[in-house]
Amino acid sequence: MAKIAFILLCHKDPDAIIRQANSLTAAGDYMAIHFDARSPAAHYTRLRAALKDNPNVTFAKKRVRCGWGEWSLVRATLGTVEAAAEAFPRATHFYMLSGDCMAIKSAEYAHEFLDRRDCDYIESCDYFESDWIKTGWKEERLIYRHWFNERTQKRRFYALYRMQKRLGLTRAIPEDIEVMIGSQWWCLRRRTIEAILAFARKRRDVMRFFATTWIPDETFFQTLVRHLIPEHEIESRTLTFLMFTDYGMPVTLYNDHYDLLLSQDALFARKISPEATELRRRLGVLYASEGARFQISNEGRSLFRFLTEKGRGGRRFAPRFWETESSLGRERELLIIVCKKWHVAKRLVERIRQVTNIPCIEYLFNEESCALPDLGGIQSTMGKRHRHRRALMRMLYDYYETERLIVCMDPANLDLIEDFGRDRALTRILEVECQFSDAYLIGHAKRVGLAGDRTPFETIERLLPTVRNDMTHESDRIRDAQFENYQRLREIDPTEVNARTLERFLSVPGATAQEIAGAEHLFAD
């Protein structure tokens, strides 16, 4: 059975570390601790005194003063790994942790998981070909030497960089090394750890190279594992669940994240808030439990993206530069049908096409496949349609030789609706208010990637209020915008009421509006 040696790098809160060490070793696993040399000596003394009688805990032989982005983090890790390998010969796996990490599965589950497949778990992507680095330096991290810390010695850091760049003092990557990059939270087998330690003793050239790269904890182990271990024995992912904000900062987890964490395909999670005492208590009890079963749905990151990638709620007060000299035309009318259920809006505009001569275009700003005429390429990609939205609409008016045009938009496109609402043309908005059954919401959650066919029903039940509230929020924002020519067509209203709404929106005779509103199965799913 798997036995884990946890490699813990920490720098604060010795009491929390003591609890973490006792909890993780109670199930028969091990822990090797490195306590940052920058931290108070009294804290380190208390830590050693509290854990001296625990035979499953050891400490790195030398404390290192660690700094973010420095080689010191890798040096501290190597020292702690070496101490663990020497002290715990029965350890089969070495798992990298921080003081902010906690187990989100039971020890029993973790051991069975690691026994299931003989491989190393480490995220390792091609350094140059992957898009792991989103912004900032890439090649510069490697080909220049970095002796100063960018956060604490910014002036020296950039002065050294500029000098090397000016003088052309670049260096080559060791010829037999293919640099990889990935998360520093890995789980490696014993033979992999032993191979890395042996390589580090033998290849001083590679060690010198990484020692002056920038942020080597994202490249050193990731590169060496790929260099030393066959590809089929590596699973390129981390077993630690973590999320990042748009600003690249780790998302902090609190008491109400318990159920979400248990459903993730991971063994640990980071970063648990120090104030989440109830979450820490419940996860500690869980780790020691037996017979616990877990329904893995893995919706955590997609749910976070769903809630945060909506964009800012504030209005845009100035037009884009490409729109300042353009207007749809004062004499034109733009009729916008806003509906979350796209199939309902498409059914409605198809009926309008049948009984009126108004050109209707479906979700041109939402669906790449929306049928559009050839307008010289401006319609070819979603990016072009959004960037040149007014030029696109003017060309559509000209193509159809009309002064009135109907388009469909999703309620999430409030920025587009507001843009067109401020145009000199007459803009009318019809919001189609539908009822959302649980079955529809479940389907929507699957379409946007929040759930899958194997997502447990209990997880879906937790997601439904979030999805429903999000749709309600989108509708509320449209009403709060207080558009001058706003109408609402509601599924729950009688056909006669909806016909009067359509009569005003379309400026058509009452009989024509009645014919449209009376269409069979208009709101059916």
Side-chain angles (χ1 to χ4, degrees):
M1 186 180 76
K3 277 191 168 294
I4 308 169
F6 295 105
I7 309 301
L8 179 65
L9 265 60
C10 48
H11 65 280
K12 62 181 181 179
D13 201 350
D15 293 330
I17 296 166
I18 292 165
R19 290 192 297 270
Q20 186 180 23
N22 286 330
S23 173
L24 294 179
T25 58
D29 291 316
Y30 311 104
M31 179 174 285
I33 300 173
H34 176 274
F35 196 71
D36 197 331
R38 296 179 187 271
S39 302
H43 287 183
Y44 182 61
T45 301
R46 184 156 90 246
L47 195 62
R48 295 210 62 145
L51 296 172
K52 64 181 175 61
D53 295 327
N54 188 332
N56 287 6
V57 174
T58 191
F59 288 83
K61 294 179 180 178
K62 183 178 180 180
R63 293 173 65 198
V64 177
R65 294 172 62 86
C66 295
W68 186 89
E70 294 180 2
W71 171 251
S72 56
L73 285 172
V74 177
R75 188 151 58 94
T77 304
L78 284 171
T80 312
V81 164
E82 198 166 14
E86 182 180 331
F88 310 125
R90 297 181 60 197
T92 60
H93 293 78
F94 294 73
Y95 197 120
M96 183 74 175
L97 287 178
S98 77
D100 294 325
C101 297
M102 284 202 72
I104 57 174
K105 299 291 187 294
S106 64
E108 179 183 64
Y109 180 96
H111 294 151
E112 290 175 357
F113 181 94
L114 294 176
D115 283 336
R116 209 173 298 154
R117 186 179 173 199
D118 185 23
C119 70
D120 297 305
Y121 294 91
I122 181 168
E123 187 180 32
S124 54
C125 311
D126 187 283
Y127 188 91
F128 294 101
E129 298 299 324
S130 72
D131 63 346
W132 202 88
I133 298 176
K134 302 295 183 185
T135 60
W137 282 359
K138 195 167 192 175
E139 186 182 40
E140 292 88 346
R141 290 193 191 187
L142 305 178
I143 64 173
Y144 297 111
R145 295 167 178 81
H146 303 282
W147 289 316
F148 303 106
N149 189 297
E150 193 267 346
R151 291 192 172 184
T152 60
Q153 299 170 292
K154 191 178 291 287
R155 183 175 295 179
R156 291 180 176 179
F157 180 89
Y158 286 107
L160 177 62
Y161 161 69
R162 287 191 293 268
M163 182 192 73
Q164 293 179 87
K165 186 176 182 179
R166 187 172 62 253
L167 299 176
L169 299 177
T170 59
R171 57 174 175 180
I173 297 169
E175 289 185 2
D176 60 332
I177 293 294
E178 183 178 355
V179 179
M180 311 296 287
I181 190 168
S183 168
Q184 64 269 53
W185 311 111
W186 40 254
C187 178
L188 304 177
R189 297 166 297 174
R190 184 178 197 91
R191 64 174 173 270
T192 302
I193 287 294
E194 291 173 346
I196 290 173
L197 293 175
F199 182 92
R201 289 189 291 269
K202 180 180 178 182
R203 293 292 302 272
R204 306 313 299 176
D205 60 322
V206 175
M207 300 297 282
R208 284 193 298 271
F209 170 76
F210 278 106
T212 51
T213 59
W214 181 232
I215 321 181
D217 55 320
E218 294 179 350
T219 56
F220 178 78
F221 289 96
Q222 296 78 358
T223 300
L224 265 57
V225 170
R226 285 282 178 182
H227 183 73
L228 298 168
I229 304 300
E231 185 175 357
H232 69 272
E233 295 183 21
I234 302 170
E235 186 159 336
S236 183
R237 73 178 183 104
T238 175
L239 296 181
T240 298
F241 174 71
L242 68 165
M243 300 183 292
F244 290 93
T245 68
D246 292 342
Y247 300 100
M249 300 300 291
V251 174
T252 303
L253 304 165
Y254 294 94
N255 291 333
D256 55 352
H257 287 113
Y258 179 80
D259 291 327
L260 180 141
L261 291 177
L262 267 57
S263 65
Q264 304 313 304
D265 188 16
L267 303 183
F268 281 75
R270 171 178 204 278
K271 165 177 188 178
I272 310 294
S273 169
E275 299 173 0
T277 54
E278 179 63 13
L279 176 61
R280 289 177 174 271
R281 184 194 66 79
R282 295 178 72 183
L283 291 177
V285 171
L286 176 70
Y287 190 71
S289 66
E290 295 182 1
R293 293 293 175 260
F294 301 90
Q295 295 287 343
I296 306 300
S297 55
N298 218 30
E299 82 288 355
R301 293 186 181 90
S302 58
L303 178 59
F304 181 75
R305 285 196 301 271
F306 177 75
L307 294 174
T308 58
E309 290 184 357
K310 291 287 184 180
R312 301 185 184 277
R315 300 188 183 194
R316 178 155 57 81
F317 291 99
R320 305 300 193 210
F321 71 88
W322 56 80
E323 297 168 348
T324 54
E325 299 178 359
S326 66
S327 168
L328 301 185
R330 193 182 300 277
E331 71 285 356
R332 286 173 169 164
E333 287 185 37
L334 178 63
L335 308 179
I336 302 175
I337 294 177
V338 181
C339 185
K340 195 65 182 180
K341 288 187 175 180
W342 294 4
H343 59 280
V344 173
K346 291 177 180 180
R347 208 174 286 146
L348 176 61
V349 297
E350 180 58 33
R351 189 63 176 160
I352 293 172
R353 283 194 195 101
Q354 293 171 1
V355 300
T356 74
N357 62 351
I358 307 174
C360 302
I361 302 168
E362 295 171 359
Y363 288 86
L364 74 164
F365 294 110
N366 301 98
E367 283 189 305
E368 194 90 49
S369 59
C370 172
L372 290 171
D374 185 355
L375 302 173
I378 194 173
Q379 84 294 340
S380 59
T381 67
M382 196 63 70
K384 288 183 178 180
R385 294 179 200 175
H386 279 263
R387 284 197 302 274
H388 309 295
R389 59 191 70 161
R390 298 198 183 192
L392 172 66
M393 296 304 296
R394 290 200 310 275
M395 294 174 77
L396 287 170
Y397 279 107
D398 294 340
Y399 177 85
Y400 288 108
E401 299 180 346
T402 183
E403 300 301 317
R404 306 183 76 206
L405 196 63
I406 295 175
V407 296
C408 298
M409 293 189 188
D410 190 277
N413 297 137
L414 180 60
D415 61 331
L416 286 173
I417 300 169
E418 288 186 324
D419 269 352
F420 289 124
R422 287 193 295 269
D423 195 89
R424 289 196 294 271
L426 173 62
T427 303
R428 295 180 181 171
I429 297 163
L430 177 69
E431 182 183 5
V432 182
E433 185 181 287
C434 303
Q435 300 299 297
F436 299 111
S437 66
D438 286 353
Y440 174 82
L441 293 176
I442 290 170
H444 180 74
K446 291 180 178 179
R447 285 190 292 275
V448 300
L450 279 176
D453 293 333
R454 299 175 61 187
T455 302
F457 183 70
E458 294 80 6
T459 301
I460 291 177
E461 279 189 318
R462 294 199 304 271
L463 290 174
L464 289 185
T466 300
V467 178
R468 190 182 297 278
N469 290 339
D470 185 74
M471 291 182 176
T472 301
H473 175 65
E474 289 179 347
S475 180
D476 287 343
R477 290 175 64 206
I478 290 174
R479 292 179 211 173
D480 291 342
Q482 298 181 339
F483 293 109
E484 184 177 353
N485 298 295
Y486 169 83
Q487 307 282 339
R488 189 149 51 113
L489 191 78
R490 305 199 305 170
E491 181 178 354
I492 61 174
D493 284 345
T495 301
E496 294 75 18
V497 174
N498 284 336
R500 288 195 293 272
T501 301
L502 287 169
E503 183 180 351
R504 292 190 297 270
F505 175 68
L506 296 171
S507 298
V508 295
T512 303
Q514 183 70 33
E515 189 177 353
I516 298 170
E520 289 188 26
H521 313 300
L522 179 61
F523 290 97
D525 287 334

